[in-house]
Amino acid sequence: MRALGDLIRPCGPIIDEAAAARARERLAAGPAAPETTATWDSLAPVFSASPYLSSLATRAPERLAALLRADPGASLARILEETTALAAQAGQPDQALRRLKGELHLLTALADLGGVWDLAQVTDALSRFADGAVSAALAQAAREGVENGWLTSVGDGDRGPAPGFFVIAMGKLGAFELNYSSDIDISLFYEPEALPLTGKLEPARAAQRLAERLSQILQSRTSDGYVFRVDLRLRPDPLSTPPAVSVPGALVYYQSVGQNWERAAFIKARPHAGDMPLAGAFLDELQGFVWRRSLDFAAIADIQSIKRQIHAWKVDDRLTARGADLKLGRGGIREIEFYAQTLQLIHGGRDPSLRARGTVAALEALSSADRVSREAAAELEEAYGMLRRLEHRAQMIADDQTHRLPESDPARRAVAALDGFETLRAFDTLVTKTLRAVNRWYGELFAEAEAEPLSSRHGSLVFTGVEDDPETLSTIARMGFSDPGRVSRDIRSWHHGRIRATRSARERELFTRLAPRLLAAAEASGAPDAAFARFGDFFCALPSSIQIQSLFLAHPDLLDLLVRVLAFAPRFARTLAQRPSVLDSLLDSSFSAEIGALPDTSALLSRASSFEVAMDEARRLYADSAFRIGSQVLAGRASSEAAGRAFANLADAMIAGLAPAALAETERMGGVLEGETAVVALGTCGAREMSARSDLDLMTVYVPAPGAASALKGWAPETFYARFTQRLIAALSAMTPAGGLYKVDLQLRPSGSAGPVAVSLAAFERYYAAEAETWELLALCKARVVWASTPEFGARTGRAVEAALRRPRDPAQTAEDVIAMRELMARERPAWGDWDLKLAPGGLVDIEFCAQHLQIVGAAGGGPLRQNTGEALDALGVARPEVQSSLADLKSAWLLQTNLAQLLKIALEDPADPTNEPAGFRRLLARAGGARDFAKLERRMAQTRQGVQKAFATLVTG
């Protein structure tokens, strides 16, 4: 055996003569004074470059002296023996562990920098000390459990101090590759039935007590520093599970929602501390999860996609040593590890020889099995050794958990000196060459699969693991998201299977590919925050997502359209969550065609086996068509007039399909009644001006056969048709498992709520001839027969409506009534704000009142009658050239406000105020309103409404 002081060699130049002199002065008088000039020459470069190592040496000179005079292997054995012994000793191990860690750090640094130990020996020494330290901390936690009365005794031997509780080493600790200044990645598990509990605590709470105390002992800082930072985030679902996880719960998790990156994490896992037999059995149980004998295409694609998410797959000539992240950056350690682990996951299920924990061992095994070329393995092994050495040297300077080379030349020169480089240029040249070599081999991994990039043009998008990737956060910020951390956490959460839509492995594999496309679509929408949040509302509500994600991946234009729509339409998110099948309608060949085209609803519903089945089928047809219409409007593919007609056509189709079903259901209950009936639509449906959320204003009209009564129950006609009307209302308005259709209002029927729900044609004619008030005649201007038991009766009812409107009116009295009615409405139903497009002064109601007033006072003389307001204004302009200019202003104002109303009703809830909506939606509104921007749109609206008020005064007030 030889003393360490005789073995170490100078590691490089002295870069700080003053620091070296201070260290020598402090050591000269004590027991650690170097015994030979050669020994000092070896130590001086270390102390000049590393304040941390200099502090360790000068703070305890006797410790340095003992290490220099002893064989390094013997010193390591003593340190590990003392660490292991702490587990059996009473009293707090904290101070002893910190002292031993300092001694180990000094020993490993000197043996490493002096060329006495290679990288494998250094990382092995650090890892074995961590083994002993964790065991000692767990033993102390168990002793405290006994003292506090919730553990029966402290165990010993292989079962550990708390039988049933064990620690799994993960990451570099699991592979005996621990960094010089590293966290330790551990996962804590317990078997509830095996814990030696007194009954004072439940197993779960007792396990958390052990976990919390173990972490506290290792992490708490004193004047002597700390032992280890503990990272527990590789446990199952770390955001929603406690620090210690039960074995049954963990096994269920991994077998049901475990991900491929978690399989990769378990390649390096090993029993670490506690109940070692139970830990070994647990890892044996997971072998089927980690090492699949066969991988389907989707699983391989997912493994590839984890790698392809990292926007570093092509060689980057800009790779330089300055500021290089040796661990996570391009050409860094993570790329070497991932290179090996990916191939291990793919081939290790069938070839157990590839299941090596260590990175170098894995590369050698892959090379021996001809899975990696010998050239690639040799070059990556050499690069791994160099990058890990430099990582250690960067950490030795100040005991920082850093993986980055300094930006500044003087700071980087210290790292270079610790690795034996005389000049910074030589150091930077070799580092750059190494990073580029690693990046080149990394880029060739799965090169044939690179056709589908899973990053962004802005940079890296990595969502595997349990922590935010810094480069990914920067990429998300560059894409325009205001809270990149929130976006990253949400996507990782979805990828982790925390929502129903990603519970299965197949769903998570698809989402790995979908995530970057989703972010790109949200960015393109112009409102990335709103688009992502509303897509999240939709996605999180899905019970499953394989079909939807496959649809998006097969049709990326559909995803782009959907995300753009959701950016501006929170209502759509709820519709999609309830009925994701409506997305299929966007793939239909008719989607880009005229939106008024609808399926033959009557024929489809006539085949329903019952009234209830017809109601459900109608709701499915409605949801598909309403979504298609709304999407066309928001995508800018349909005008407001076309949308109003399409929504009205849809309502006509629902009425035409359900009215026969309601009539058949009435006849089934009461028997057939001879007679005729018709359904008349008023309001926006009658005028074909409906929006996404319009109510249905209806009345039913009938003519019975003389002396008719229902065949089964003898119902009188008024009873029979009242029952028919009630069933029709239920068919159109009731909520069923398939959803809802419309709110139905019968208030516009003769006598309103005081009259019968169904009115005979004779009563209809008498009422409008003698009793109807002016406001009822205005409403009748929009009346349109939408269904009749026979075409002949439909035409007859239409003629009755027209006859009621063409009776002579007193123009002055009618104008007075209209003005009084508008004033009453302003008092009792005032506008809620400037964006109340219907009720605001100069809004749609004022325009409609003008058109309806002119129609009913001119109809007796043969004037035009049109249900649609825009068509009425056009026809009146031809018939009344003297006021054509005012009517043209009204038509322009009507078009402007109906354009805006369609968008607002489709996109927003009431009150639909777009002022605080995303800028992209305000731009969409501005385009719909023919304005260059939102501010100009508001000014145009104000000017337009002033024109409406002026026209109202001209046309009605006179």
Side-chain angles (χ1 to χ4, degrees):
M1 296 194 303
R2 296 182 60 188
L4 176 63
D6 296 332
L7 294 172
I8 60 176
R9 303 184 304 273
C11 63
I14 297 175
I15 63 168
D16 189 339
E17 296 283 356
R22 285 194 299 272
R24 185 168 192 172
E25 181 180 349
R26 291 172 184 168
L27 295 172
E35 297 177 357
T36 66
T37 301
T39 302
W40 174 253
D41 289 344
S42 299
L43 296 175
V46 176
F47 297 150
S48 76
S50 172
Y52 172 63
L53 295 177
S54 179
S55 172
L56 284 179
T58 58
R59 191 167 51 194
E62 67 285 353
R63 178 168 55 190
L64 174 62
L67 292 175
L68 290 173
R69 292 167 184 158
D71 177 83
S75 295
L76 175 62
R78 175 184 54 79
I79 293 171
L80 295 179
E81 183 179 349
E82 291 182 25
T83 304
T84 302
L86 291 173
Q89 296 174 9
Q92 298 286 346
D94 310 42
Q95 185 173 356
L97 285 174
R98 286 160 178 74
R99 174 183 59 79
L100 289 166
K101 180 200 173 183
E103 191 170 357
L104 177 80
H105 264 201
L106 191 56
L107 170 65
T108 53
L110 295 177
D112 181 5
L113 298 174
V116 179
W117 287 349
D118 62 18
L119 175 65
Q121 289 174 292
V122 170
T123 58
D124 184 80
L126 294 166
S127 301
R128 293 195 182 280
F129 173 75
D131 288 359
V134 172
S135 293
L138 179 57
Q140 176 59 26
R143 285 193 291 270
E144 293 176 6
V146 174
E147 293 169 3
N148 292 325
W150 48 270
L151 280 181
T152 59
S153 61
V154 177
D156 55 16
D158 288 345
R159 299 299 306 280
F165 187 96
F166 59 90
V167 184
I168 298 295
M170 312 282 284
K172 289 182 171 61
L173 175 59
F176 292 100
E177 297 174 340
L178 200 60
N179 285 338
Y180 188 78
S181 178
S182 175
D183 292 352
I184 55 172
D185 292 300
I186 58 176
S187 294
L188 310 178
F189 301 95
Y190 67 96
E191 182 60 67
E193 302 302 322
L195 292 173
L197 301 177
T198 64
K200 186 175 181 180
L201 292 179
E202 294 294 324
R205 184 63 192 125
Q208 305 324 313
R209 288 272 185 94
L210 288 171
E212 291 162 3
R213 184 61 180 130
L214 182 152
S215 298
Q216 184 182 36
I217 292 170
L218 294 173
Q219 294 190 121
S220 59
R221 289 181 175 270
T222 69
S223 58
D224 295 320
Y226 61 97
V227 186
F228 285 106
R229 291 175 293 265
V230 177
D231 192 338
L232 300 175
R233 289 175 295 175
L234 292 182
R235 70 184 186 274
D237 201 4
L239 296 181
S240 60
T241 56
V245 181
S246 73
V247 169
L251 292 175
V252 168
Y253 169 85
Y254 289 122
Q255 298 300 344
S256 60
V257 297
Q259 300 178 72
N260 281 315
W261 71 264
E262 291 175 299
R263 295 173 54 225
F266 268 97
I267 291 176
K268 296 185 175 184
R270 64 180 172 89
H272 180 50
D275 194 328
M276 300 297 273
L278 195 56
F282 174 76
L283 290 181
D284 288 344
E285 187 78 15
L286 288 182
Q287 291 303 293
F289 163 67
V290 180
W291 304 110
R292 299 184 188 175
R293 284 195 57 79
S294 62
L295 294 175
D296 60 24
F297 175 80
I300 293 175
D302 186 48
I303 294 170
Q304 294 173 353
S305 69
I306 296 172
K307 174 255 173 181
R308 284 185 285 126
Q309 282 182 335
I310 304 174
H311 195 61
W313 59 274
K314 290 183 178 178
V315 176
D316 188 343
D317 291 336
R318 296 170 299 173
L319 288 171
T320 61
R322 185 189 301 273
D325 189 324
L326 300 173
K327 179 181 178 181
L328 300 177
R330 297 173 187 259
I333 296 166
R334 180 61 58 82
E335 289 189 2
I336 302 173
E337 293 174 331
F338 193 85
Y339 183 99
Q341 290 172 350
T342 300
L343 294 174
Q344 284 181 288
L345 284 180
I346 292 176
H347 304 295
R350 294 187 177 184
D351 186 353
S353 71
L354 302 180
R355 301 177 186 179
R357 290 194 186 99
T359 303
V360 171
L363 289 169
E364 291 175 348
L366 289 164
S367 176
S368 297
D370 292 328
R371 299 297 184 182
V372 171
S373 71
R374 297 193 181 279
E375 178 189 5
E379 196 163 353
L380 290 173
E381 287 176 32
E382 182 180 357
Y384 181 78
M386 177 184 176
L387 295 174
R388 288 300 308 275
R389 281 201 327 271
L390 297 183
E391 182 183 46
H392 282 185
R393 279 125 186 80
Q395 293 172 348
M396 287 174 182
I397 291 175
D399 192 28
D400 287 335
Q401 188 194 9
T402 183
H403 309 285
R404 190 178 291 276
L405 293 178
E407 292 275 354
S408 73
D409 289 354
R412 201 164 63 262
R413 189 174 288 112
V415 178
L418 285 177
D419 204 48
F421 284 85
E422 294 290 335
T423 67
L424 183 61
R425 175 176 293 183
F427 173 79
D428 285 352
T429 299
L430 184 58
V431 171
T432 299
K433 178 182 177 182
T434 301
L435 295 175
R436 290 179 180 175
V438 171
N439 196 222
R440 183 181 70 252
W441 289 115
Y442 183 73
E444 292 183 5
L445 183 64
F446 301 126
E448 72 280 1
E450 297 298 347
E452 183 185 13
L454 295 186
S455 57
S456 163
R457 62 188 175 86
H458 297 290
S460 174
L461 287 174
V462 181
F463 300 107
T464 58
V466 295
E467 59 184 7
D468 291 328
D469 173 68
E471 291 299 323
T472 295
L473 296 182
S474 298
T475 299
I476 296 172
R478 286 191 289 271
M479 296 177 82
F481 293 89
S482 63
D483 189 351
R486 173 66 181 274
V487 173
S488 178
R489 288 191 297 274
D490 283 351
I491 291 180
R492 282 191 290 108
S493 172
W494 300 344
H495 199 283
H496 213 95
R498 295 195 186 97
I499 60 175
R500 292 182 299 169
T502 55
R503 287 290 168 82
S504 73
R506 177 61 175 152
E507 287 168 328
R508 294 192 297 277
E509 288 158 358
L510 289 171
F511 186 67
T512 299
R513 300 169 56 202
L514 185 68
R517 296 188 183 189
L518 166 61
L519 294 180
E523 176 194 10
S525 75
D529 289 330
F532 181 79
R534 290 166 182 170
F535 182 91
D537 291 341
F538 150 67
F539 195 61
C540 291
L542 293 175
S544 62
S545 68
I546 289 178
Q547 291 182 334
I548 293 297
Q549 292 197 79
S550 298
L551 185 67
F552 289 152
L553 290 168
H555 300 274
D557 56 329
L558 173 58
L559 176 65
D560 293 341
L561 172 62
L562 175 69
V563 172
R564 186 166 66 251
V565 166
L566 291 181
F568 307 140
R571 294 184 62 251
F572 266 51
R574 288 199 310 278
T575 300
L576 288 173
Q578 295 165 359
R579 287 290 311 281
S581 62
V582 300
L583 287 173
D584 295 340
S585 66
L586 299 187
L587 296 179
D588 191 276
S589 59
S590 65
F591 174 70
S592 299
E594 173 58 45
I595 61 175
L598 293 168
D600 186 347
T601 310
S602 297
L604 290 170
L605 297 186
S606 67
R607 294 193 289 268
S609 59
S610 69
F611 184 48
E612 290 74 17
V613 171
M615 290 170 63
D616 284 341
E617 183 60 25
R619 280 148 179 78
R620 283 187 284 271
L621 293 169
Y622 169 85
D624 289 348
S625 298
F627 179 79
R628 184 168 62 89
I629 297 167
S631 298
Q632 292 263 33
V633 173
L634 286 172
R637 300 180 183 180
S639 68
S640 63
E641 285 186 281
R645 291 185 180 280
F647 280 122
N649 288 343
L650 178 57
D652 288 1
M654 293 298 104
I655 296 168
L658 289 171
L663 184 59
E665 179 68 5
T666 307
E667 291 174 342
R668 184 186 69 80
M669 297 182 67
V672 175
L673 182 142
E674 296 297 327
E676 302 284 358
T677 185
V679 179
V680 178
L682 301 98
T684 57
C685 181
R688 300 187 184 277
E689 298 170 7
M690 293 188 74
S691 68
R693 287 180 285 141
S694 293
D695 296 347
L696 287 181
D697 294 291
L698 302 177
M699 71 170 70
T700 55
V701 180
Y702 66 90
V703 171
S710 67
L712 182 63
K713 293 192 175 180
W715 287 339
E718 57 268 26
T719 302
F720 180 89
Y721 288 112
R723 297 288 176 87
F724 159 70
T725 303
Q726 291 162 354
R727 275 153 187 75
L728 177 60
I729 294 171
L732 291 168
S733 63
M735 290 296 296
T736 78
L741 291 180
Y742 302 98
K743 292 181 180 179
V744 179
D745 190 344
L746 301 181
Q747 296 297 312
L748 295 183
R749 69 186 188 273
S751 300
S753 57
V757 294
V759 60
S760 70
L761 184 61
F764 173 92
E765 292 171 330
R766 287 195 302 272
Y767 182 82
Y768 281 99
E771 300 180 47
E773 298 182 22
T774 299
W775 71 266
E776 292 176 291
L777 292 166
L778 296 183
L780 198 65
C781 287
K782 292 186 175 185
R784 178 172 60 88
V785 177
V786 293
W787 177 84
S789 52
T790 64
E792 294 76 15
F793 186 67
R796 180 180 172 185
T797 303
R799 290 193 295 273
V801 170
E802 182 172 358
L805 291 172
R806 290 199 181 278
R807 288 188 176 87
R809 312 285 169 206
D810 179 348
Q813 184 60 51
T814 301
E816 185 179 329
D817 291 345
V818 170
I819 293 169
M821 183 166 43
R822 185 64 184 100
E823 291 174 349
L824 177 64
M825 182 178 289
R827 289 194 302 273
E828 296 189 352
R829 294 178 59 195
W832 52 260
D834 290 341
W835 281 93
D836 188 335
L837 300 176
K838 179 178 181 180
L839 296 175
L844 292 171
V845 163
D846 284 343
I847 300 171
E848 292 169 0
F849 273 20
C850 286
Q852 292 160 6
H853 166 71
L854 292 179
Q855 287 186 95
I856 63 173
V857 297
L865 288 174
R866 304 286 190 277
Q867 291 100 358
N868 180 268
T869 303
E871 293 177 1
L873 292 170
D874 287 339
L876 288 166
V878 173
R880 301 279 302 273
E882 75 279 7
V883 291
Q884 189 174 51
S885 175
S886 294
L887 292 169
D889 289 344
L890 289 179
K891 176 66 179 293
S892 176
W894 180 80
L895 285 173
L896 170 65
Q897 295 186 85
T898 53
N899 274 336
L900 300 177
Q902 282 290 1
L903 281 172
L904 292 172
K905 292 293 185 182
I906 290 169
L908 306 180
E909 302 288 1
D910 285 332
D913 186 346
T915 306
N916 296 318
E917 290 299 309
F921 183 60
R922 297 199 301 273
R923 287 194 295 271
L924 182 63
L925 278 175
R927 286 197 299 272
R932 295 181 62 181
D933 56 44
F934 189 71
K936 288 184 173 61
L937 174 65
E938 291 186 304
R939 288 197 291 273
R940 184 183 176 195
M941 282 176 55
Q943 294 167 357
T944 298
R945 285 173 172 173
Q946 290 175 1
V948 170
Q949 291 174 290
K950 181 179 179 181
F952 187 94
T954 299
L955 299 172
V956 179
T957 307

